[in-house]
Amino acid sequence: MNPEGPAPLVVSDVMTHTAVAIGRDAPYKEIVALMDEWKVSALPVLEGEGRVVGVVSEADLLPKEAFRDTGPGPGRDEETAKAVAVRAGDLMSSPAVTVHAGASLAEAARIMARRKVKRLPVVNGIGMLEGVVSRSDLLKVFLREDDDIAAEIRRWVLDGAGLTGLGVTVAEGVATLSGALSDRSLVPLLARAARAVEGVVDVRMELGAHEGGS
C-alpha cells in the first residue's frame, strides 16, 4: 500500500467544462427550450461575471403544469410561488448546491445523494462557474478496463506493501485478492486500499495463511 499511489480523480477530471447557464431574467420558455436542446435536467443561474446564485431544475418548473387545472390557490408557499413565476430568478432554488473542481468524486456523489440532485454546478473559490458535473460523469470511472484496474491494484496496493506473494484478478470491476498472508491484520487495510482504486465495483478477499502463520 504505497502512500504515494496515483492521485485520485477529482471533479475537474470528469466534469463538462462548457456548461450552459442562464441569467436571473431568463424567461420560463427559454429555460425549457435550453433544457430540451442540451438534454439537461437543470441549469445554473448566474449573475455578474459568472457567479452561481441558484439552479433551475425540472422540479422547479413542474408546479406551473401541476396547477394548470386548479390554479395555485390561496397562500404563497414555495410551490405556489414557482407556479406563478415566469423568470429564472423567481423559479430557481437558492442558494445553489455546488461542488468545487478539486473535490473528490466520492464527495460529489455524497452531495448529490444527500441533496437529491442529478447535476452540480462546479465552482471555484469565489463561486464562479467552471463547469457542471452529472451523475453520469461520476459513473465514467466504472468504464475502466478490468486489466487496467488489476494492474493499478498490483502496483500500488500489493507491490507497494511488498506483498509479492499475493495476486489480484478483476472481473466486471470486482477485484479478488488471493494468496497466502500471514499477517491477518492487513486484510481490512488491503481491502480498503483496493476499494479506493478508481473503477472498483467490489473487493473480495481469498487470502489463506502461510504455513506456520496465524
Side-chain angles (χ1 to χ4, degrees):
M1 293 160 283
N2 191 333
E4 298 181 358
L9 293 178
V10 295
V11 167
S12 61
D13 294 320
V14 301
M15 73 183 190
T16 300
H17 290 265
T18 304
V20 58
I22 53 177
R24 283 180 177 271
D25 291 331
Y28 187 100
K29 289 193 69 171
E30 179 184 327
I31 298 167
V32 175
L34 283 171
M35 286 184 177
D36 180 67
E37 178 183 355
W38 291 89
K39 308 303 180 204
V40 296
S41 58
L43 295 170
V45 181
L46 310 182
E47 71 176 8
E49 296 182 357
R51 186 169 61 89
V52 179
V53 293
V55 172
V56 175
S57 70
E58 292 170 334
D60 296 317
L61 300 175
L62 279 176
K64 189 171 294 295
E65 183 64 25
F67 288 108
R68 179 175 301 281
D69 294 338
T70 62
R76 292 293 291 179
D77 60 18
E78 182 179 3
E79 193 169 58
T80 299
K82 291 182 186 294
V84 299
V86 296
R87 301 285 176 180
D90 298 317
L91 289 160
M92 69 183 185
S93 298
S94 181
V97 180
T98 62
V99 68
H100 289 288
S104 69
L105 302 192
E107 181 180 348
R110 286 193 293 269
I111 294 173
M112 286 185 185
R114 186 169 62 247
R115 302 301 294 269
K116 296 180 173 57
V117 296
K118 299 177 182 179
R119 296 164 59 84
L120 290 171
V122 182
V123 299
N124 63 15
I126 58 174
M128 305 293 280
L129 184 68
E130 293 193 338
V132 171
V133 65
S134 67
R135 291 175 179 176
S136 60
D137 292 328
L138 299 183
L139 293 174
K140 288 175 183 176
V141 296
F142 296 106
L143 298 177
R144 293 189 70 190
E145 297 291 339
D146 288 339
D147 288 346
D148 293 339
I149 297 172
E152 187 169 323
I153 294 174
R154 190 174 299 110
R155 179 180 180 187
W156 297 108
V157 179
L158 302 183
D159 293 351
L163 300 172
T164 55
L166 300 183
V168 57
T169 58
V170 178
E172 298 298 327
V174 177
T176 301
L177 277 62
S178 58
L181 182 68
S182 57
D183 187 352
R184 306 300 294 176
S185 68
L186 291 177
V187 172
L189 299 178
L190 287 170
R192 189 178 305 117
R195 190 169 283 110
V197 171
E198 303 286 2
V200 170
V201 174
D202 195 13
V203 176
R204 296 173 183 171
M205 310 297 281
E206 297 179 357
L207 303 174
H210 284 292
E211 290 187 9
S214 56

